[in-house]
Amino acid sequence: MNFKWWFPFLAAGLALSQAGVAALGAEAAGPRYVSIAAGGVTGANYSVARILAEVTWKHLKPQGVKVSAETSGGSPANAKLIGLGDTDFAIIQNDIAADAFNGREPLFEKPIPELQGVCSLFSQYVQLVSRVDAGITSVADLKGKRVGIGPEGSGAALNARQVLDAWGLTAADLGRAVRLGFEAAMAELLAGSLDAVFATAVADFQPLSDLARTMPISWVPIAGPAVDRLIDHHPCYSRARMPAGVHAGDLQDVATVSVRSLLVARKGLEPEIVYALLTATYADLDPFRYAHTQFRDISPATGLLGMSIPLHPGAERFFAERGLLPRRIAPCGRRAHS
């Protein structure tokens, strides 16, 4: 089915929220469905995708554009869905997006050039939590311990492996490396069969908050000279601090590293749809700010923070019209070693 779209220049910038979507002025031959692959339902990526779907439907309903949030297997799986043309948008960690675009092992055997950036959304912290009685105060203390390192092929597992490598450790140095999903690993930590677990998640991650109310746990710092090695080899990481008081028993800031969650699109998606989604989203940010503290920073000003792949033409137009497009985007992943 062919659809005809007219997206004239929106001189009023974010006035889409005030003018409905009259500026789009399109008459479609029928409804246009687009999808966002967003990970598991308990994660922040799915939460923000659901809000994106609701906000864009509110603004683009007169044009018959319907965006739906879909569950998926996480960042690496989302990148592959884009490559196969099985989703229109996806939410992906910026380090995973860079690896996918450039075809870096171990997760990607060949490049996925169909990946194009739309905007940067929020930070995800690499969190290392341990039982208080495990005696773990640094990454180095993981040697000989039982550690949940994330499911094989996941973004969390890749982050855990890279952090261990920066400290000169491998999975073989652990007493037991457990490759389970986060909820299952948390259950083992609670049962006493694990000493520590890695997670890549927002600061106020509900499953971690629930666990902290159930048992005493510690957030182990990811800090020191080894972080310099980590960022040198994998420059999509940034130094960060987990704020105090986010979880029960978490009484002080914790040094760690973070990555960014990016909204990406497939290369062939109409630029007008990407442009309209961005315009509608940034015109209606209250639902994001009410949903989670980390979504409060979503704005055009942070929209290119940590961007690690080339922009989609629709996104390029949006940020250029607002004077926010730098002369050159230097994807963080291009400096990474193979």
Side-chain angles (χ1 to χ4, degrees), residues 231-247:
I231 295 175
D232 179 60
H233 282 79
H234 310 285
C236 283
Y237 288 106
S238 298
R239 291 181 180 272
R241 298 194 72 84
M242 286 272 295
V246 170
H247 304 285

Side-chain angles (χ1 to χ4, degrees), residues 222-279:
I222 298 175
V227 173
D228 294 331
R229 292 193 293 273
L230 176 67
I231 295 175
D232 179 60
H233 282 79
H234 310 285
C236 283
Y237 288 106
S238 298
R239 291 181 180 272
R241 298 194 72 84
M242 286 272 295
V246 170
H247 304 285
D250 183 15
L251 302 180
Q252 59 186 1
D253 290 356
V254 179
T256 185
V257 292
S258 65
V259 292
R260 294 285 294 182
S261 278
L262 305 180
L263 179 64
V264 305
R266 60 179 176 83
K267 188 174 183 178
L269 186 62
E270 300 95 314
E272 295 84 3
I273 288 181
V274 174
Y275 181 91
L277 179 142
L278 284 171
T279 308

Side-chain angles (χ1 to χ4, degrees), residues 257-312:
V257 292
S258 65
V259 292
R260 294 285 294 182
S261 278
L262 305 180
L263 179 64
V264 305
R266 60 179 176 83
K267 188 174 183 178
L269 186 62
E270 300 95 314
E272 295 84 3
I273 288 181
V274 174
Y275 181 91
L277 179 142
L278 284 171
T279 308
T281 297
Y282 288 132
D284 199 357
L285 290 171
D286 282 349
F288 297 93
R289 291 168 178 160
Y290 295 147
H292 197 284
T293 55
Q294 281 194 238
F295 298 168
R296 294 173 186 172
D297 292 333
I298 295 175
S299 73
T302 62
L304 297 177
L305 187 63
M307 184 56 65
S308 60
I309 56 176
L311 285 180
H312 189 283

Side-chain angles (χ1 to χ4, degrees), residues 304 306-311 316 319 324-332 334:
L304 297 177
M307 184 56 65
S308 60
I309 56 176
L311 285 180
E316 193 169 278
F319 289 106
L324 297 171
L325 190 66
R327 290 184 179 180
R328 185 176 69 89
I329 293 179
C332 60
R334 287 189 179 172

Side-chain angles (χ1 to χ4, degrees), residues 212-223:
R213 286 191 289 268
T214 305
M215 64 177 290
I217 57 176
S218 297
W219 271 260
V220 180
I222 298 175

Side-chain angles (χ1 to χ4, degrees), residues 6-293:
W6 290 268
F7 286 78
F9 177 71
L10 300 179
L14 297 183
L16 183 61
S17 61
Q18 301 171 351
V21 283
L24 297 179
E27 289 187 10
R32 176 68 164 92
Y33 296 99
V34 291
S35 58
I36 305 176
V41 294
T42 61
N45 287 347
Y46 184 81
S47 177
V48 82
R50 181 181 53 77
I51 300 169
L52 279 167
E54 292 172 355
V55 166
T56 52
W57 175 240
K58 179 170 70 175
H59 288 280
L60 304 181
K61 186 176 181 179
Q63 280 63 47
V65 179
K66 174 67 173 175
V67 180
S68 62
E70 308 287 347
T71 58
S72 67
S75 287
N78 290 351
K80 292 171 184 177
L81 287 172
I82 288 280
L84 293 169
D86 288 342
T87 189
D88 300 297
F89 293 97
I91 299 179
I92 301 176
Q93 291 176 203
N94 65 340
D95 56 328
I96 303 300
D99 285 354
F101 184 80
N102 292 288
R104 291 197 187 95
E105 295 182 341
L107 297 181
F108 304 98
E109 296 179 355
K110 60 181 181 180
I112 303 178
E114 294 83 5
L115 276 173
Q116 294 190 321
V118 175
C119 67
S120 178
L121 294 168
F122 55 90
S123 292
Q124 299 230 47
Y125 298 93
V126 179
Q127 301 182 48
L128 175 58
V129 296
S130 71
R131 298 179 58 88
V132 170
D133 58 7
I136 299 170
T137 60
S138 73
V139 176
D141 294 333
L142 294 178
K143 187 172 183 178
K145 301 293 186 179
R146 303 163 299 172
V147 184
I149 60 172
E152 190 69 35
S154 68
L158 181 66
N159 297 149
R161 183 182 67 80
Q162 291 169 345
V163 169
L164 289 170
D165 181 66
W167 266 261
L169 299 172
T170 68
D173 295 312
L174 306 177
R176 184 162 69 101
V178 178
R179 294 173 172 84
L180 290 175
F182 183 74
E183 286 79 5
M186 288 293 99
E188 291 214 17
L189 191 73
L190 180 61
S193 50
L194 282 182
D195 301 306
V197 172
F198 279 96
T200 301
V202 292
D204 188 9
F205 185 41
Q206 192 61 47
L208 272 176
S209 296
D210 293 343
L211 182 71
R213 286 191 289 268
T214 305
M215 64 177 290
I217 57 176
S218 297
W219 271 260
V220 180
I222 298 175
V227 173
D228 294 331
R229 292 193 293 273
L230 176 67
I231 295 175
D232 179 60
H233 282 79
H234 310 285
C236 283
Y237 288 106
S238 298
R239 291 181 180 272
R241 298 194 72 84
M242 286 272 295
V246 170
H247 304 285
D250 183 15
L251 302 180
Q252 59 186 1
D253 290 356
V254 179
T256 185
V257 292
S258 65
V259 292
R260 294 285 294 182
S261 278
L262 305 180
L263 179 64
V264 305
R266 60 179 176 83
K267 188 174 183 178
L269 186 62
E270 300 95 314
E272 295 84 3
I273 288 181
V274 174
Y275 181 91
L277 179 142
L278 284 171
T279 308
T281 297
Y282 288 132
D284 199 357
L285 290 171
D286 282 349
F288 297 93
R289 291 168 178 160
Y290 295 147
H292 197 284
T293 55

